[in-house]
Amino acid sequence: MKVLIVGGGGREHALAWKCAQSARVTRVFVAPGNAGTAREPKTVNVAIAADDITALLEFAAREAIDLTIIGPEGPLVAGIVDRFGAAGLRCFGPSRAAARLEGSKAHTKEFLVRHGIPSARHATFTRANFSADYVRAQRLPVVVKADGLAAGKGVVICETHEAALASCLAMLAGDFGAAGETIVVEEFLSGEEVSFIVIAHDQQVLPLATSQDHKRRDDGDRGPNTGGMGAYSPAPIVDAALHARIMREVIEPTLRGLRADGNPYTGFLYAGLMIAPDGTPNVLEFNCRFGDPETQPIMMRLRSDLTRLCEAAIDGELDTVHAQWDEQAALGVVMAAAGYPDAFRKGEPIAGLDAAARLPGKVFHAGTLARGTEIVTNGGRVLCAVGLGVDIVAAQRQAYDLVAAIHWNLVQYRRDIGHRAVARELGGESLTGV
Ligand code: AMP
């Protein structure tokens, strides 16, 4: 069978790598892919942008692609699954209407309240009804979010009321374009963050391995929010009891609510959760696709054929399949260009990739480009080095051995990915996560 992966980041490299391992897959196309996908067996890059739905559709029809898997949210929110479906092509992901769960935070908050799913208290504003008094009356810190897609930058955690008002006004004035025409002002939640990702088809659910990611740029979870600086799986905090609670209080009511609203969901559904000290799984956000970088460690642990799981979902047969997981832990460290998540330089030659390829673990590419015989940086997040091990400590060691083998001018990465899980293990807890 022929598979098309849409996207060009680390998530798509991991999805393509996993699909290529399937004995029934003859070819994996990645549009547009990166220098890492270009090097994988059976895998070919196609020079089509991830948001060029018309060109993707033409390509998939011409090549008679059997299964298309969408990496990023953009094409999903723009309706790629509906367009492929109308052309009789099998495309894994939610419809445009179901993908609104990620496309609009105001819509999602209203959905969560209406269906009784736990999340932070909030208010939604536009320029027409903005209330500075409301913002001033909130406990600090207060969280300000742009309603629409803002490439992971539309969330500001404000320590003062002045900063919160400034963020609100900047968003409403157009700093994030149309994404900020509506804003959500929300209570700050403390606790531990967990990524809970499932494959869903209407009311059928296959939970994937749990994970946690690090969104802040700097060690100690400080500095600006990013797309993600590292992730590991499993999330030790998610024991069997919490897993059952998340399914019961978040995933099942969400899928019921989507059905009740007339938007039944098929695809990866990612719930970003803040686990409160009392164990309440508060929803921070939904994503209508796999996470990046969570995909990389989760794919390292997946033993089953991903194409079969996706096809079972499309066919409404998710309850007939199981996912097999490597019992080992996996941990990925993102190597980024200096300056990320703000302006960064591209075109730096990357040294050490061949040496890293001889070590255990796997280096997934994100912003990379082949230039002659060299591979150069071509994005903010450049690589994700993933290690496997009997516990998070061992996986972390293997990942940082890979990182140590690779270098470019002004590379930046965090030295403490997995620190909470490591502290738990060093405190004597064994690996209990799912
Ligand atoms: P979001 O895109 O809504 O998930 O927000 C990005 C990141 O901001 C989250 O992963 C959290 O780390 C943080 N965040 C968002 N909302 C809140 C909140 N209400 N309380 C605390 N942190 C939050």
Side-chain angles (χ1 to χ4, degrees):
M1 80 188 273
K2 290 199 249 182
V3 176
L4 170 63
I5 307 287
V6 173
R11 165 182 52 211
E12 289 77 20
H13 187 182
L15 293 173
W17 170 80
K18 190 69 219 170
C19 288
Q21 289 171 3
S22 167
R24 65 198 196 121
V25 170
T26 49
R27 246 280 182 275
V28 179
F29 297 96
V30 192
N34 55 42
T37 53
R39 285 182 155 193
E40 293 293 343
K42 297 191 207 170
T43 306
V44 190
N45 286 350
V46 185
I48 304 175
D51 57 2
D52 189 347
I53 297 178
T54 301
L56 291 167
L57 193 55
E58 271 170 26
F59 175 82
R62 189 170 68 240
E63 282 289 338
I65 299 292
D66 299 287
L67 172 67
T68 300
I69 302 177
I70 312 300
E73 61 277 15
L76 291 166
V77 171
I80 191 169
V81 173
D82 312 64
R83 296 268 307 271
F84 270 57
L89 289 161
R90 287 158 75 76
C91 185
F92 182 69
S95 66
R96 177 189 181 133
R100 256 192 103 200
L101 214 49
E102 173 160 7
S104 165
K105 289 190 195 290
H107 162 78
T108 300
K109 293 298 293 192
E110 184 270 327
F111 175 92
L112 290 166
V113 172
R114 194 154 42 82
H115 295 289
I117 300 164
S119 78
R121 275 197 313 273
H122 82 288
T124 296
F125 297 107
T126 60
R127 258 203 254 187
N129 73 347
F130 180 64
S131 162
D133 288 344
Y134 175 89
V135 175
R136 279 202 200 90
Q138 300 310 303
R139 264 224 316 262
L140 294 171
V142 59
V143 185
V144 179
K145 301 184 174 185
D147 173 57
L149 297 181
K153 292 185 184 161
V155 175
V156 192
I157 295 168
C158 306
E159 305 290 343
T160 65
H161 289 118
E162 290 66 41
L165 283 170
S167 287
C168 291
L169 294 174
M171 285 184 192
L172 291 171
D175 269 17
F176 288 87
E181 279 171 12
T182 300
I183 60 170
V184 173
V185 177
E186 167 174 301
E187 161 199 22
F188 178 83
L189 298 173
S190 52
E192 198 163 336
E193 261 185 272
V194 164
S195 305
F196 198 91
I197 305 171
V198 303
I199 294 181
H201 174 81
D202 199 348
Q203 307 306 293
Q204 299 176 5
V205 200
L206 181 74
L208 300 177
T210 60
S211 59
Q212 285 180 278
D213 74 339
H214 293 270
K215 287 244 169 33
R216 303 291 200 96
R217 187 190 59 197
D218 303 329
D219 285 1
D221 295 314
R222 291 171 210 282
N225 258 330
T226 69
M229 294 301 285
Y232 51 96
S233 172
I237 183 177
V238 186
D239 57 14
L242 181 56
H243 195 276
R245 191 165 174 191
I246 294 169
M247 290 295 287
R248 197 171 60 241
E249 295 184 21
V250 176
I251 301 297
E252 288 162 9
T254 297
L255 294 173
R256 272 200 305 276
L258 283 158
R259 154 59 92 65
D261 291 354
N263 302 320
Y265 194 100
T266 299
F268 297 118
L269 176 64
Y270 170 133
L273 305 171
M274 184 71 85
I275 309 299
D278 70 356
T280 304
N282 284 301
V283 175
L284 290 178
E285 61 165 344
F286 285 116
N287 294 318
C288 60
R289 34 79 192 171
F290 228 116
D292 188 342
E294 294 93 327
T295 310
Q296 292 85 317
I298 291 177
M299 287 301 121
M300 282 289 275
R301 294 187 59 216
L302 181 62
R303 285 275 171 82
S304 308
D305 182 337
L306 179 65
T307 63
R308 277 199 196 281
L309 303 183
C310 294
E311 287 201 313
I314 292 173
D315 294 333
E317 293 171 355
L318 256 189
D319 40 8
T320 67
V321 292
H322 290 279
Q324 305 281 338
W325 299 101
D326 192 322
E327 296 217 330
Q328 296 185 95
L331 181 142
V333 178
V334 169
M335 302 179 75
Y340 175 79
D342 301 318
F344 52 82
R345 208 159 60 197
K346 295 182 182 179
E348 295 289 350
I350 304 172
L353 286 170
D354 290 336
R358 289 190 290 273
L359 297 174
K362 173 80 186 168
V363 177
F364 293 106
H365 290 224
T368 62
L369 181 73
R371 199 173 61 190
T373 55
E374 277 182 336
I375 292 183
V376 301
T377 66
N378 193 42
R381 291 189 295 172
V382 177
L383 302 171
C384 180
V386 185
L388 271 176
V390 289
D391 52 19
I392 300 278
V393 171
Q396 188 193 50
R397 193 175 311 123
Q398 197 176 89
Y400 279 105
D401 284 347
L402 289 169
V403 169
I406 298 170
H407 185 72
W408 69 84
N409 187 26
L410 299 177
V411 52
Q412 66 159 332
Y413 55 89
R414 281 182 54 164
R415 266 85 176 159
D416 66 345
I417 298 302
H419 66 87
R420 284 182 192 238
V422 166
R424 279 171 191 273
E425 283 177 5
L426 297 180
E429 282 184 43
S430 59
L431 198 60
T432 54
V434 184

